[in-house]
Amino acid sequence: MDQIRIVGGTPLKGTITISGAKNAALPLLTAAILSDEVLELTNIPELADIKCMLELLEQHGIQATRNLEQKKVLLHAQSIANTTAPYDIVRKMRASILVLGPLLARCGEARVSLPGGCSIGTRPVDIHLQGLEEMGAEIELKEGYIHAKAPKGLKGATITMRVVSVTATENLMMAATLADGTTKLVNAAREPEIVDLANCLRAMGASIEGDGTDTITIHGVTKLHHAQHRVVADRIETGTFAIAAAITGGELYLKDTSIELLPSFISVLQKTGVIVEPTSDGFWVKASGHPITGVDVMTEPYPGFATDLQAQMMALMTVCQGASLITETIFENRFMHVPELCRMGANITVHGSSALVRGVSQLRGAPVMATDLRASVSLVLAGLAAEGETWVNRVYHLDRGYEHIEDKLRHCGAHIERVKEAIAA
Ligand code: EPZ
């Protein structure tokens, strides 16, 4: 397995162009199932998860033409050859569940492996299934698979989701575009990725309003058609590199993104004393030269502080002046970066869903283990600030969500390299 080696201590300086959002691109790719005409997506990031989703779509019979140079994908679901999403693909990427709604809407049936849990939590899909049942689907769980049928098509319904769920909102919104009648999603997720998906569906001919609020209304139509759509910037990558500037005492220009995509994160970052200067196509992040002030953080659904930025903010707080109480309210096990940060000299105590971070003057490099996508990047951030050498193992987690991260950081002065695993002779 590849490793990443970092020698910390260099303040980062330069410009980083933010890629398209992984968590927007994944549902956008599955939206292609809803039409028998071509869907053209641009600003698609080059990530392991995108490759995995394309594999899944191709085994459903969708033609995918990818131009990496132009970050473009052409998808053509002229016909669906197979309505099964197999376990060996779904287990690698939970977002595969996003084919369920589109397959049911397009074909009237779907057999999708249950995604199972992952390291950050059990992550059930009951809200997805309950919503589809309320739209008239018959759903049975058998041998680890979701067997869903809607032979007479889906019907519009008013669905109140018990918990705010991003992919459940996306699955149900996509399914509702071809349902008979109007669907109302109550307690819907409000993330920018939901709005981006709604924009693409509208370009395909769907009738949707209220996306970005907690109530989304979809009026079913009989057919969706060809569309082109550019994937929204990745707000989590944006926040991650903003912290890279802050934690190294440097200054970075983050291009092709916007502070509007992560309002709560920006306000917390400014409270720590970091300077943020918006421009027309991005924003500057500059260390103030004073010590980082400790700020309390609680993760919440958008527009609250994103759970996907919790580990990265914790890395910054490990070197704050004072302390920070970080509370994770979305997932039940999202502190796996804590023991690894402590091996680098951080002072963190976990009580249930809260972690008390007492600032230390200096982290020290160490060999550390990545456990999930966002935890692994928090170790890279800590390594950039630490004195000495940090080796991050299991970097395949990183490759799932960050496009060429070591190149982007090295171009801003970081001493960072990927060490390919020596192939056993
Ligand atoms: C999406 O996951 C993101 N993934 C996650 O990003 C992100 O952390 C999460 O939203 C929260 O923002 C994609 O968009 C592909 P949820 P999702 O359903 O939709 C519970 C990353 O690092 N829940 O919003 O799976 C669930 O257990 C990934 O890029 C149910 O109980 O998350 C959690 O506690 C990690 N039943 C809460 O809701 C359900 O049917 C929010 O989960 C669905 C969810």
Side-chain angles (χ1 to χ4, degrees), residues 22-23 26 94-95 98 120 122-128 162-168 170 191 235 307-308 330-332 334 373-374:
K22 165 179 87 80
N23 289 350
L26 291 170
R94 304 180 37 73
L98 286 164
I120 64 177
T122 50
R123 302 185 69 184
V125 291
D126 58 301
I127 299 172
H128 301 242
R162 69 178 176 82
V163 167
V164 173
S165 163
V166 173
T167 47
E170 291 165 343
E191 273 71 1
R235 62 194 166 96
T307 173
D308 291 350
I330 308 291
F331 292 111
E332 61 268 34
R334 205 167 196 179
L373 168 55
R374 308 305 176 180

mmCIF file of all heavy atoms in Angstrom, residues 22-23 26 94-95 98 120 122-128 162-168 170 191 235 307-308 330-332 334 373-374, ligand 1:
data_model
loop_
_atom_site.group_PDB
_atom_site.id
_atom_site.type_symbol
_atom_site.label_atom_id
_atom_site.label_comp_id
_atom_site.label_asym_id
_atom_site.label_seq_id
_atom_site.Cartn_x
_atom_site.Cartn_y
_atom_site.Cartn_z
ATOM 1 N N LYS A 22 -16.793 15.703 -4.974
ATOM 2 C CA LYS A 22 -17.048 14.244 -5.012
ATOM 3 C C LYS A 22 -18.517 13.979 -4.674
ATOM 4 O O LYS A 22 -19.202 13.244 -5.371
ATOM 5 C CB LYS A 22 -16.165 13.547 -4.003
ATOM 6 C CG LYS A 22 -16.566 12.119 -3.686
ATOM 7 C CD LYS A 22 -15.663 11.434 -2.690
ATOM 8 C CE LYS A 22 -16.026 11.654 -1.273
ATOM 9 N NZ LYS A 22 -17.116 10.830 -0.746
ATOM 10 N N ASN A 23 -19.012 14.634 -3.621
ATOM 11 C CA ASN A 23 -20.362 14.322 -3.137
ATOM 12 C C ASN A 23 -21.469 14.974 -3.936
ATOM 13 O O ASN A 23 -22.643 14.770 -3.647
ATOM 14 C CB ASN A 23 -20.483 14.668 -1.649
ATOM 15 C CG ASN A 23 -19.666 13.687 -0.810
ATOM 16 O OD1 ASN A 23 -19.186 12.675 -1.332
ATOM 17 N ND2 ASN A 23 -19.467 14.003 0.440
ATOM 18 N N LEU A 26 -21.088 12.175 -7.501
ATOM 19 C CA LEU A 26 -21.613 10.814 -7.346
ATOM 20 C C LEU A 26 -23.112 10.748 -7.655
ATOM 21 O O LEU A 26 -23.522 9.955 -8.520
ATOM 22 C CB LEU A 26 -21.268 10.256 -5.962
ATOM 23 C CG LEU A 26 -19.781 9.982 -5.754
ATOM 24 C CD1 LEU A 26 -19.464 9.660 -4.295
ATOM 25 C CD2 LEU A 26 -19.292 8.846 -6.658
ATOM 26 N N ARG A 94 -20.337 3.202 -0.416
ATOM 27 C CA ARG A 94 -21.718 3.283 0.062
ATOM 28 C C ARG A 94 -22.595 4.125 -0.841
ATOM 29 O O ARG A 94 -23.803 3.924 -0.914
ATOM 30 C CB ARG A 94 -21.755 3.930 1.447
ATOM 31 C CG ARG A 94 -20.923 3.304 2.510
ATOM 32 C CD ARG A 94 -21.107 4.087 3.772
ATOM 33 N NE ARG A 94 -22.475 4.534 3.901
ATOM 34 C CZ ARG A 94 -23.488 3.738 4.211
ATOM 35 N NH1 ARG A 94 -23.247 2.469 4.388
ATOM 36 N NH2 ARG A 94 -24.696 4.207 4.301
ATOM 37 N N ALA A 95 -21.979 5.079 -1.532
ATOM 38 C CA ALA A 95 -22.796 5.979 -2.360
ATOM 39 C C ALA A 95 -23.457 5.215 -3.519
ATOM 40 O O ALA A 95 -24.314 5.754 -4.211
ATOM 41 C CB ALA A 95 -21.921 7.096 -2.902
ATOM 42 N N LEU A 98 -27.148 5.192 -4.361
ATOM 43 C CA LEU A 98 -27.789 6.250 -5.148
ATOM 44 C C LEU A 98 -28.306 5.759 -6.492
ATOM 45 O O LEU A 98 -28.989 6.505 -7.205
ATOM 46 C CB LEU A 98 -26.818 7.419 -5.352
ATOM 47 C CG LEU A 98 -26.585 8.287 -4.117
ATOM 48 C CD1 LEU A 98 -25.344 9.149 -4.278
ATOM 49 C CD2 LEU A 98 -27.808 9.147 -3.833
ATOM 50 N N ILE A 120 -17.096 4.894 10.129
ATOM 51 C CA ILE A 120 -17.571 6.052 10.920
ATOM 52 C C ILE A 120 -18.952 5.802 11.519
ATOM 53 O O ILE A 120 -19.446 6.601 12.306
ATOM 54 C CB ILE A 120 -17.564 7.361 10.100
ATOM 55 C CG1 ILE A 120 -18.542 7.307 8.917
ATOM 56 C CG2 ILE A 120 -16.172 7.707 9.651
ATOM 57 C CD1 ILE A 120 -18.606 8.625 8.148
ATOM 58 N N THR A 122 -22.829 2.951 11.628
ATOM 59 C CA THR A 122 -23.609 1.845 11.037
ATOM 60 C C THR A 122 -24.259 2.308 9.730
ATOM 61 O O THR A 122 -24.443 1.542 8.814
ATOM 62 C CB THR A 122 -24.748 1.431 11.993
ATOM 63 O OG1 THR A 122 -25.446 2.644 12.361
ATOM 64 C CG2 THR A 122 -24.209 0.764 13.234
ATOM 65 N N ARG A 123 -24.614 3.571 9.657
ATOM 66 C CA ARG A 123 -25.107 4.199 8.436
ATOM 67 C C ARG A 123 -26.228 3.401 7.763
ATOM 68 O O ARG A 123 -26.098 2.881 6.675
ATOM 69 C CB ARG A 123 -23.960 4.469 7.487
ATOM 70 C CG ARG A 123 -22.929 5.358 8.175
ATOM 71 C CD ARG A 123 -21.805 5.792 7.317
ATOM 72 N NE ARG A 123 -22.242 6.732 6.297
ATOM 73 C CZ ARG A 123 -21.404 7.188 5.358
ATOM 74 N NH1 ARG A 123 -20.177 6.732 5.321
ATOM 75 N NH2 ARG A 123 -21.824 8.048 4.442
ATOM 76 N N PRO A 124 -27.357 3.279 8.463
ATOM 77 C CA PRO A 124 -28.492 2.552 7.870
ATOM 78 C C PRO A 124 -29.059 3.289 6.653
ATOM 79 O O PRO A 124 -28.697 4.436 6.406
ATOM 80 C CB PRO A 124 -29.505 2.528 9.008
ATOM 81 C CG PRO A 124 -29.141 3.649 9.905
ATOM 82 C CD PRO A 124 -27.665 3.852 9.767
ATOM 83 N N VAL A 125 -29.925 2.608 5.911
ATOM 84 C CA VAL A 125 -30.547 3.244 4.731
ATOM 85 C C VAL A 125 -32.078 3.200 4.854
ATOM 86 O O VAL A 125 -32.786 3.295 3.851
ATOM 87 C CB VAL A 125 -30.090 2.581 3.415
ATOM 88 C CG1 VAL A 125 -28.623 2.876 3.135
ATOM 89 C CG2 VAL A 125 -30.348 1.068 3.437
ATOM 90 N N ASP A 126 -32.552 3.102 6.115
ATOM 91 C CA ASP A 126 -34.000 2.971 6.333
ATOM 92 C C ASP A 126 -34.789 4.145 5.766
ATOM 93 O O ASP A 126 -35.910 3.971 5.262
ATOM 94 C CB ASP A 126 -34.288 2.812 7.830
ATOM 95 C CG ASP A 126 -33.763 3.992 8.631
ATOM 96 O OD1 ASP A 126 -32.543 4.239 8.584
ATOM 97 O OD2 ASP A 126 -34.566 4.714 9.250
ATOM 98 N N ILE A 127 -34.210 5.347 5.793
ATOM 99 C CA ILE A 127 -34.959 6.530 5.320
ATOM 100 C C ILE A 127 -35.137 6.461 3.802
ATOM 101 O O ILE A 127 -36.187 6.779 3.250
ATOM 102 C CB ILE A 127 -34.237 7.835 5.737
ATOM 103 C CG1 ILE A 127 -34.146 7.904 7.267
ATOM 104 C CG2 ILE A 127 -34.951 9.056 5.188
ATOM 105 C CD1 ILE A 127 -33.302 9.033 7.789
ATOM 106 N N HIS A 128 -34.093 5.965 3.109
ATOM 107 C CA HIS A 128 -34.205 5.772 1.651
ATOM 108 C C HIS A 128 -35.380 4.824 1.361
ATOM 109 O O HIS A 128 -36.242 5.107 0.530
ATOM 110 C CB HIS A 128 -32.927 5.116 1.078
ATOM 111 C CG HIS A 128 -31.664 5.870 1.292
ATOM 112 N ND1 HIS A 128 -30.896 6.365 0.252
ATOM 113 C CD2 HIS A 128 -30.988 6.201 2.419
ATOM 114 C CE1 HIS A 128 -29.822 6.965 0.733
ATOM 115 N NE2 HIS A 128 -29.853 6.873 2.038
ATOM 116 N N ARG A 162 -37.110 11.234 8.984
ATOM 117 C CA ARG A 162 -36.972 11.316 10.451
ATOM 118 C C ARG A 162 -35.666 11.971 10.854
ATOM 119 O O ARG A 162 -35.536 12.557 11.913
ATOM 120 C CB ARG A 162 -37.106 9.932 11.104
ATOM 121 C CG ARG A 162 -35.966 8.984 10.816
ATOM 122 C CD ARG A 162 -36.127 7.636 11.524
ATOM 123 N NE ARG A 162 -35.033 6.771 11.102
ATOM 124 C CZ ARG A 162 -33.806 6.821 11.633
ATOM 125 N NH1 ARG A 162 -33.554 7.662 12.609
ATOM 126 N NH2 ARG A 162 -32.846 6.037 11.185
ATOM 127 N N VAL A 163 -34.654 11.844 9.961
ATOM 128 C CA VAL A 163 -33.338 12.452 10.209
ATOM 129 C C VAL A 163 -32.936 13.151 8.910
ATOM 130 O O VAL A 163 -33.264 12.645 7.826
ATOM 131 C CB VAL A 163 -32.305 11.348 10.556
ATOM 132 C CG1 VAL A 163 -30.891 11.864 10.523
ATOM 133 C CG2 VAL A 163 -32.604 10.712 11.893
ATOM 134 N N VAL A 164 -32.238 14.252 8.999
ATOM 135 C CA VAL A 164 -31.771 14.906 7.771
ATOM 136 C C VAL A 164 -30.725 13.995 7.133
ATOM 137 O O VAL A 164 -29.698 13.692 7.753
ATOM 138 C CB VAL A 164 -31.136 16.282 8.081
ATOM 139 C CG1 VAL A 164 -30.513 16.862 6.815
ATOM 140 C CG2 VAL A 164 -32.183 17.235 8.644
ATOM 141 N N SER A 165 -31.001 13.526 5.931
ATOM 142 C CA SER A 165 -30.071 12.604 5.267
ATOM 143 C C SER A 165 -29.768 13.095 3.854
ATOM 144 O O SER A 165 -30.680 13.259 3.037
ATOM 145 C CB SER A 165 -30.696 11.202 5.180
ATOM 146 O OG SER A 165 -29.992 10.425 4.223
ATOM 147 N N VAL A 166 -28.485 13.295 3.554
ATOM 148 C CA VAL A 166 -28.086 13.828 2.244
ATOM 149 C C VAL A 166 -28.450 12.856 1.134
ATOM 150 O O VAL A 166 -29.200 13.198 0.215
ATOM 151 C CB VAL A 166 -26.574 14.137 2.234
ATOM 152 C CG1 VAL A 166 -26.095 14.538 0.854
ATOM 153 C CG2 VAL A 166 -26.247 15.237 3.249
ATOM 154 N N THR A 167 -27.943 11.627 1.182
ATOM 155 C CA THR A 167 -28.190 10.727 0.045
ATOM 156 C C THR A 167 -29.632 10.244 0.006
ATOM 157 O O THR A 167 -30.150 9.972 -1.083
ATOM 158 C CB THR A 167 -27.243 9.514 0.084
ATOM 159 O OG1 THR A 167 -27.228 8.985 1.397
ATOM 160 C CG2 THR A 167 -25.838 9.883 -0.351
ATOM 161 N N ALA A 168 -30.328 10.193 1.169
ATOM 162 C CA ALA A 168 -31.757 9.812 1.103
ATOM 163 C C ALA A 168 -32.526 10.911 0.365
ATOM 164 O O ALA A 168 -33.359 10.635 -0.498
ATOM 165 C CB ALA A 168 -32.327 9.620 2.507
ATOM 166 N N GLU A 170 -31.328 12.849 -1.896
ATOM 167 C CA GLU A 170 -30.947 12.755 -3.317
ATOM 168 C C GLU A 170 -31.655 11.594 -4.000
ATOM 169 O O GLU A 170 -32.201 11.730 -5.096
ATOM 170 C CB GLU A 170 -29.426 12.616 -3.432
ATOM 171 C CG GLU A 170 -28.696 13.889 -3.023
ATOM 172 C CD GLU A 170 -27.209 13.701 -2.772
ATOM 173 O OE1 GLU A 170 -26.747 12.542 -2.595
ATOM 174 O OE2 GLU A 170 -26.500 14.729 -2.720
ATOM 175 N N GLU A 191 -27.764 20.697 1.694
ATOM 176 C CA GLU A 191 -26.373 20.852 1.230
ATOM 177 C C GLU A 191 -26.298 21.423 -0.185
ATOM 178 O O GLU A 191 -27.191 21.162 -1.014
ATOM 179 C CB GLU A 191 -25.677 19.495 1.279
ATOM 180 C CG GLU A 191 -25.037 19.141 2.613
ATOM 181 C CD GLU A 191 -26.042 18.835 3.737
ATOM 182 O OE1 GLU A 191 -27.261 18.874 3.485
ATOM 183 O OE2 GLU A 191 -25.584 18.575 4.845
ATOM 184 N N ARG A 235 -16.714 21.767 -1.458
ATOM 185 C CA ARG A 235 -16.586 22.614 -0.272
ATOM 186 C C ARG A 235 -15.719 21.954 0.797
ATOM 187 O O ARG A 235 -15.108 22.622 1.631
ATOM 188 C CB ARG A 235 -17.972 22.971 0.278
ATOM 189 C CG ARG A 235 -18.776 21.774 0.731
ATOM 190 C CD ARG A 235 -20.253 22.141 0.944
ATOM 191 N NE ARG A 235 -21.025 20.906 1.057
ATOM 192 C CZ ARG A 235 -21.349 20.341 2.228
ATOM 193 N NH1 ARG A 235 -21.032 20.927 3.361
ATOM 194 N NH2 ARG A 235 -22.019 19.210 2.270
ATOM 195 N N THR A 307 -19.789 17.881 9.095
ATOM 196 C CA THR A 307 -19.103 16.761 9.742
ATOM 197 C C THR A 307 -17.866 16.343 8.958
ATOM 198 O O THR A 307 -16.872 15.898 9.544
ATOM 199 C CB THR A 307 -20.047 15.555 9.909
ATOM 200 O OG1 THR A 307 -19.315 14.431 10.393
ATOM 201 C CG2 THR A 307 -20.719 15.156 8.609
ATOM 202 N N ASP A 308 -17.882 16.540 7.649
ATOM 203 C CA ASP A 308 -16.737 16.140 6.820
ATOM 204 C C ASP A 308 -15.538 17.059 7.010
ATOM 205 O O ASP A 308 -14.471 16.795 6.452
ATOM 206 C CB ASP A 308 -17.123 16.124 5.339
ATOM 207 C CG ASP A 308 -18.092 15.000 5.036
ATOM 208 O OD1 ASP A 308 -18.298 14.154 5.920
ATOM 209 O OD2 ASP A 308 -18.654 14.980 3.936
ATOM 210 N N ILE A 330 -23.400 13.987 13.935
ATOM 211 C CA ILE A 330 -23.949 13.289 12.770
ATOM 212 C C ILE A 330 -23.636 11.792 12.795
ATOM 213 O O ILE A 330 -24.516 10.958 12.599
ATOM 214 C CB ILE A 330 -23.415 13.913 11.452
ATOM 215 C CG1 ILE A 330 -23.623 15.423 11.426
ATOM 216 C CG2 ILE A 330 -24.016 13.212 10.234
ATOM 217 C CD1 ILE A 330 -25.080 15.876 11.303
ATOM 218 N N PHE A 331 -22.387 11.448 13.040
ATOM 219 C CA PHE A 331 -21.990 10.028 13.031
ATOM 220 C C PHE A 331 -21.522 9.595 14.409
ATOM 221 O O PHE A 331 -20.968 10.398 15.165
ATOM 222 C CB PHE A 331 -20.873 9.770 11.994
ATOM 223 C CG PHE A 331 -21.350 9.936 10.576
ATOM 224 C CD1 PHE A 331 -20.911 10.989 9.800
ATOM 225 C CD2 PHE A 331 -22.275 9.045 10.035
ATOM 226 C CE1 PHE A 331 -21.382 11.153 8.499
ATOM 227 C CE2 PHE A 331 -22.743 9.202 8.739
ATOM 228 C CZ PHE A 331 -22.293 10.252 7.978
ATOM 229 N N GLU A 332 -21.712 8.282 14.683
ATOM 230 C CA GLU A 332 -21.440 7.796 16.049
ATOM 231 C C GLU A 332 -19.986 7.429 16.291
ATOM 232 O O GLU A 332 -19.574 7.226 17.405
ATOM 233 C CB GLU A 332 -22.349 6.618 16.393
ATOM 234 C CG GLU A 332 -22.250 5.371 15.540
ATOM 235 C CD GLU A 332 -23.237 5.369 14.363
ATOM 236 O OE1 GLU A 332 -23.515 6.463 13.817
ATOM 237 O OE2 GLU A 332 -23.691 4.278 13.982
ATOM 238 N N ARG A 334 -16.798 9.005 14.727
ATOM 239 C CA ARG A 334 -15.995 9.787 13.782
ATOM 240 C C ARG A 334 -14.835 10.490 14.498
ATOM 241 O O ARG A 334 -14.471 11.605 14.156
ATOM 242 C CB ARG A 334 -16.876 10.784 13.024
ATOM 243 C CG ARG A 334 -16.230 11.125 11.695
ATOM 244 C CD ARG A 334 -17.113 11.848 10.733
ATOM 245 N NE ARG A 334 -16.512 11.753 9.406
ATOM 246 C CZ ARG A 334 -17.021 12.258 8.300
ATOM 247 N NH1 ARG A 334 -18.165 12.923 8.350
ATOM 248 N NH2 ARG A 334 -16.418 12.122 7.130
ATOM 249 N N LEU A 373 -11.686 8.509 5.016
ATOM 250 C CA LEU A 373 -11.285 9.581 4.100
ATOM 251 C C LEU A 373 -10.905 10.866 4.817
ATOM 252 O O LEU A 373 -9.819 11.416 4.658
ATOM 253 C CB LEU A 373 -12.456 9.812 3.138
ATOM 254 C CG LEU A 373 -12.446 11.033 2.260
ATOM 255 C CD1 LEU A 373 -11.184 11.092 1.447
ATOM 256 C CD2 LEU A 373 -13.668 11.007 1.366
ATOM 257 N N ARG A 374 -11.767 11.373 5.670
ATOM 258 C CA ARG A 374 -11.511 12.697 6.240
ATOM 259 C C ARG A 374 -10.521 12.603 7.406
ATOM 260 O O ARG A 374 -9.727 13.519 7.618
ATOM 261 C CB ARG A 374 -12.821 13.341 6.693
ATOM 262 C CG ARG A 374 -13.905 13.360 5.636
ATOM 263 C CD ARG A 374 -13.493 14.013 4.345
ATOM 264 N NE ARG A 374 -14.541 13.919 3.333
ATOM 265 C CZ ARG A 374 -14.435 14.415 2.102
ATOM 266 N NH1 ARG A 374 -13.335 15.006 1.721
ATOM 267 N NH2 ARG A 374 -15.415 14.280 1.226
HETATM 268 C C1 EPZ B 1 -23.364 12.009 2.902
HETATM 269 O O1 EPZ B 1 -23.432 10.702 3.412
HETATM 270 C C2 EPZ B 1 -21.925 12.194 2.437
HETATM 271 N N1 EPZ B 1 -21.636 11.227 1.378
HETATM 272 C C3 EPZ B 1 -20.978 11.994 3.614
HETATM 273 O O2 EPZ B 1 -19.654 12.238 3.161
HETATM 274 C C4 EPZ B 1 -21.332 13.027 4.680
HETATM 275 O O3 EPZ B 1 -20.507 12.822 5.801
HETATM 276 C C5 EPZ B 1 -22.812 12.869 5.084
HETATM 277 O O4 EPZ B 1 -23.652 12.978 3.914
HETATM 278 C C6 EPZ B 1 -23.258 13.927 6.087
HETATM 279 O O5 EPZ B 1 -23.056 15.205 5.542
HETATM 280 C C7 EPZ B 1 -22.084 11.484 0.131
HETATM 281 O O6 EPZ B 1 -22.738 12.486 -0.120
HETATM 282 C C8 EPZ B 1 -21.743 10.481 -0.916
HETATM 283 P P1 EPZ B 1 -26.526 11.015 5.795
HETATM 284 P P2 EPZ B 1 -24.874 10.063 3.771
HETATM 285 O O7 EPZ B 1 -27.532 10.080 5.221
HETATM 286 O O8 EPZ B 1 -25.913 10.618 2.886
HETATM 287 C C9 EPZ B 1 -28.339 8.676 9.445
HETATM 288 C C10 EPZ B 1 -17.371 11.810 2.873
HETATM 289 O O9 EPZ B 1 -16.445 11.805 3.667
HETATM 290 N N2 EPZ B 1 -29.157 7.958 8.466
HETATM 291 O O10 EPZ B 1 -26.714 12.480 5.596
HETATM 292 O O11 EPZ B 1 -24.693 8.591 3.837
HETATM 293 C C11 EPZ B 1 -26.858 8.362 9.304
HETATM 294 O O12 EPZ B 1 -26.532 7.188 10.012
HETATM 295 C C12 EPZ B 1 -18.697 11.173 3.236
HETATM 296 O O13 EPZ B 1 -17.353 12.331 1.726
HETATM 297 C C13 EPZ B 1 -30.118 7.042 8.911
HETATM 298 O O14 EPZ B 1 -30.251 6.821 10.108
HETATM 299 O O15 EPZ B 1 -25.112 10.620 5.223
HETATM 300 C C14 EPZ B 1 -26.211 9.598 9.904
HETATM 301 O O16 EPZ B 1 -26.173 9.457 11.308
HETATM 302 C C15 EPZ B 1 -18.619 10.494 4.594
HETATM 303 N N3 EPZ B 1 -30.885 6.386 8.007
HETATM 304 C C16 EPZ B 1 -27.181 10.719 9.537
HETATM 305 O O17 EPZ B 1 -28.404 10.086 9.167
HETATM 306 C C17 EPZ B 1 -30.767 6.614 6.649
HETATM 307 O O18 EPZ B 1 -31.523 6.006 5.866
HETATM 308 C C18 EPZ B 1 -26.733 11.563 8.348
HETATM 309 O O19 EPZ B 1 -26.338 10.667 7.331
HETATM 310 C C19 EPZ B 1 -29.796 7.546 6.211
HETATM 311 C C20 EPZ B 1 -29.015 8.206 7.136
#
